[in-house]
């Protein structure tokens, strides 16, 4: 399980349930022990009362003691029993509750006043809790030992324990539910700062913030500081990398210009072969420089974009720029792009992408360029069309390859659509290039 909340909830539920079971066992054990003590005290009290009423008559026969007030002694199998035995005369007295049953007291040795405890079979297939004590009673011929036994039905203890268990179950269940709910509430409150860190990271990913700001608990402050240091270092590394790439490309532009001029001079002096070779090498190197300049301005990943881009704003800026060119001013521009449509692309990268596509359309179009934003699907789709000659079907897939130029008569380096492919790869955009039925190209960008 990947969720901390789920793990905590499972552990909490298991711990609470285990604690409730153990608590129930302890409570039932304490209740049973306390009830056994009460029963033992009750039987001891009955024996003490019997000891005060036992006597022998003139002929040495054990007299019936005063009957206890508890009505269970009088009811057959009433659950409370007494039995008195005179070992000398083998005379035995029993409570009416025993009816025709005699307690099978063991024939063990007794010390005077020593209390013996037994669990013996009772009438009607029951088990009895028995307390027995030997009492010395005055008789005509002298003191004689008498065994007094008091017994109670063990079902009294079992039924009381069962009733206690049934009584505490609802309370234990309610307590378990409360403890689990309290644990969940504690977890929710305790993990709130973690959620705020997650929200802060999402804001950074969405380019709505550059660092984790706000107050965090001491336990998380170290993590927040480490993330902020990492973000600062990453931003600095990216800035330096772009600066160095641009400096390198700009540093090569002047030598390349000199090489191109030298190549032209050599061709003018009649050294055509060497001049053309140098011009070709300078052109290839210039293409690489232009490509690296363009790539240095593209975000490394979609998460590193400065912000989201407004499609209508980007299209308007590029169209207004291209209209100022000699050919752009002669074309008919049909722009149908709704306002307030944003896409998860860096504004600079979107303008770079659209600029290369529209620049290519400007080169080949005859009379018009159409730009339409289609919002019929789940994602917006921008369609750019021109009425130029189009391209051979076999060359359409090659148009985004680096340095490929399908017609060398038009000026350019052949890297424009390659840069489009690079930007589309960074932002996972769908680029589709096809010929129009009426002539020209159609480039579709799915955001």
């Amino acid at each position: 399980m990947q969720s901390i909340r789920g793990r905590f909830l499972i552990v909490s539920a298991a711990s609470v349930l285990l604690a409730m079971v153990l608590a129930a066992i302890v409570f039932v054990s304490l209740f049973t022990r306390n009830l056994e003590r009460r029963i033992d005290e009750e039987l001891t009290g009955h024996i003490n009362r019997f000891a005060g009423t036992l006597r022998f008559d003139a002929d040495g026969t054990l007299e019936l003691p005063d009957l206890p007030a508890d009505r269970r002694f009088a009811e057959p199998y009433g659950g409370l029993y007494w039995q008195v035995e005179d070992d000398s005369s083998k005379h035995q007295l029993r409570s009416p509750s025993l009816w025709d049953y005699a307690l099978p007291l063991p024939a063990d040795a007794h010390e005077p006043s020593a209390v013996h405890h037994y669990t013996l079979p009772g009438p009607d297939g029951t088990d009895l809790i028995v307390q027995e004590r030997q009492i010395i009673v005055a008789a005509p011929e002298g003191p004689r030992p008498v065994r007094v036994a008091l017994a109670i039905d063990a079902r009294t203890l079992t039924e009381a324990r069962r009733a206690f268990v049934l009584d505490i179950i609802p309370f234990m269940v309610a307590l378990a539910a409360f403890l689990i709910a309290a644990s969940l509430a504690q977890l929710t409150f305790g993990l709130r700062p973690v959620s705020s860190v997650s929200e802060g990271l999402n804001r950074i990913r969405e380019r709505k913030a550059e660092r984790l700001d706000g107050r965090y608990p001491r336990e998380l402050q170290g993590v927040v500081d480490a993330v902020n240091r990492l973000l600062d270092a990453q931003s600095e590394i990216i800035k330096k990398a772009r600066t160095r790439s641009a400096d390198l490309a700009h540093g090569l532009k002047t030598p390349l210009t000199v090489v191109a001029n030298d190549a032209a001079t050599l061709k003018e002096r009649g050294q055509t072969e060497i001049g053309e070779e140098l011009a070709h090498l300078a052109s290839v190197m210039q293409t690489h420089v232009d490509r690296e300049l363009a790539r240095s301005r593209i975000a490394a990943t979609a998460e590193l974009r400065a912000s989201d881009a407004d499609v209508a704003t980007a299209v308007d800026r590029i169209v207004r720029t291209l209209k100022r060119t000699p050919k752009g001013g002669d074309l008919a521009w049909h722009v149908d792009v709704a306002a307030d449509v944003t896409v998860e692309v860096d504004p600079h990268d979107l303008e770079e992408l659209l600029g290369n596509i529209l620049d290519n359309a400007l080169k080949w179009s005859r009379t018009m360029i159409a730009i339409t934003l289609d919002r019929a699907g789940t994602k917006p789709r921008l369609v750019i069309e021109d009425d130029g000659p189009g391209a051979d079907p076999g060359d359409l897939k090659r148009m985004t390859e680096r340095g490929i130029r399908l017609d060398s008569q038009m000026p350019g380096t052949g890297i424009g659509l390659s840069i489009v492919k690079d930007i589309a790869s960074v932002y996972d955009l769908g680029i589709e290039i096809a010929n129009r039925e009426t002539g020209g190209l159609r480039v579709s960008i799915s955001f």
Side-chain angles (χ1 to χ4, degrees):
M1 180 176 292
Q2 301 301 319
S3 170
I4 296 179
R5 189 185 304 274
R7 291 182 178 183
F8 187 89
L9 187 59
I10 290 176
V11 172
S12 176
S15 302
V16 168
L17 292 178
L18 178 61
M20 291 299 100
V21 171
L22 294 177
I25 293 174
V26 172
F27 290 158
V28 172
S29 176
L30 292 175
F31 174 81
T32 301
R33 186 181 305 173
N34 184 68
L35 186 58
E36 287 175 345
R37 187 182 303 113
R38 295 290 299 274
I39 291 175
D40 190 65
E41 292 174 356
E42 180 182 4
L43 296 179
T44 300
H46 287 306
I47 289 179
N48 291 336
R49 284 190 288 274
F50 267 84
T53 60
L54 286 176
R55 61 180 61 85
F56 288 92
D57 56 16
D59 59 0
T61 303
L62 188 64
E63 292 184 351
L64 184 67
D66 295 336
L67 295 179
D70 197 316
R71 60 181 181 82
R72 289 176 294 174
F73 285 114
E75 296 178 1
Y77 305 156
L80 194 59
Y81 313 98
W82 59 263
Q83 181 171 300
V84 179
E85 292 185 1
D86 181 7
D87 290 336
S88 299
S89 64
K90 304 303 181 184
H91 185 211
Q92 185 181 85
L93 300 175
R94 299 193 302 271
S95 65
S97 56
L98 281 172
W99 195 245
D100 57 353
Y101 186 83
L103 297 178
L105 298 176
D108 52 352
H110 284 267
E111 293 292 333
S113 300
V115 179
H116 288 214
H117 297 85
Y118 312 107
T119 298
L120 301 176
D124 201 21
T126 60
D127 289 330
L128 301 179
I129 299 173
V130 181
Q131 185 180 125
E132 180 189 8
R133 190 168 68 180
Q134 187 181 71
I135 300 173
I136 304 300
V137 181
E141 68 278 8
R144 290 166 57 179
V146 175
R147 299 173 65 185
V148 180
L150 267 293
I152 190 171
D153 196 331
R155 286 181 300 186
T156 302
L157 177 62
T158 303
E159 291 174 357
R161 183 167 51 213
R162 182 185 299 112
F164 178 76
V165 171
L166 293 177
D167 286 340
I168 67 169
I169 283 178
F171 296 98
M172 300 298 287
V173 171
L175 180 59
F178 171 77
L179 292 177
I180 293 175
S183 299
L184 184 59
Q186 180 184 18
L187 176 66
T188 301
F189 180 76
L191 289 181
R192 187 174 298 171
V194 178
S195 300
S196 63
V197 172
S198 178
E199 293 171 359
L201 292 175
N202 286 333
R203 287 178 59 82
I204 293 173
R205 181 180 61 82
E206 296 169 358
R207 316 314 299 168
K208 296 178 180 179
E210 296 183 355
R211 307 175 83 253
L212 288 175
D213 298 322
R215 300 181 61 183
Y216 295 92
R218 290 191 301 272
E219 293 79 4
L220 292 178
Q221 192 61 50
V223 176
V224 171
D225 293 340
V227 171
N228 284 333
R229 288 194 298 268
L230 179 62
L231 291 171
D232 294 339
Q234 184 184 52
S235 177
E236 189 65 25
I237 290 172
I238 293 173
K239 185 185 297 183
K240 289 182 178 179
R242 288 183 175 180
T243 301
R244 289 173 181 174
S245 177
D247 290 345
L248 177 62
H250 284 297
L252 291 173
K253 288 181 73 68
T254 299
L256 287 174
T257 302
V258 173
V259 172
N261 291 334
D262 290 344
T265 301
L266 289 173
K267 287 190 287 185
E268 291 175 357
R269 293 178 179 178
Q271 300 180 11
T272 307
E273 184 177 351
I274 297 177
E276 289 181 350
E277 183 176 355
L278 285 177
H280 173 70
L281 292 175
S283 176
V284 171
M285 293 176 68
Q286 184 65 50
T287 298
H288 283 288
V289 169
D290 292 340
R291 178 178 175 84
E292 291 307 315
L293 278 172
R295 291 186 64 185
S296 68
R297 295 189 296 266
I298 300 174
T301 64
E303 286 74 15
L304 294 178
R305 65 187 185 275
S307 63
D308 292 342
D310 184 274
V311 179
T313 301
V315 170
D316 181 66
R317 288 178 180 175
I318 297 171
V319 170
R320 282 192 288 109
T321 300
L322 294 178
K323 280 183 178 181
R324 296 190 183 101
T325 63
K327 185 175 181 180
D330 297 333
L331 295 177
W333 295 82
H334 304 288
V335 180
D336 183 13
V337 179
D340 299 327
V341 177
T342 59
V343 293
E344 295 180 350
V345 180
D346 186 275
H348 173 271
D349 293 345
L350 180 61
E351 292 184 12
E352 184 78 26
L353 179 142
L354 296 179
N356 281 284
I357 295 176
L358 287 171
D359 183 64
N360 186 74
L362 179 65
K363 292 176 184 178
W364 297 101
S365 62
R366 295 189 178 96
T367 62
M368 73 88 187
I369 294 177
I371 307 172
T372 307
L373 182 64
D374 182 9
R375 302 178 64 182
T378 56
K379 296 183 178 180
R381 185 168 68 101
L382 190 68
V383 179
I384 300 174
E385 299 176 300
D386 64 70
D387 61 349
D392 186 273
D395 293 332
L396 290 174
K397 293 184 179 179
R398 302 175 58 223
M399 293 184 68
T400 56
E401 295 181 10
R402 183 177 61 186
I404 294 296
R405 296 182 62 197
L406 303 182
D407 193 334
S408 60
Q409 296 180 1
M410 287 292 182
T413 61
I415 66 170
L417 293 181
S418 176
I419 294 174
V420 169
K421 181 180 179 181
D422 290 342
I423 296 174
S425 176
V426 170
Y427 296 100
D428 195 22
L429 306 179
I431 303 294
E432 181 182 351
I433 303 176
N435 286 317
R436 297 174 66 218
E437 295 180 359
T438 57
L441 281 183
R442 176 188 294 110
V443 180
S444 300
I445 309 169
S446 299
F447 295 98

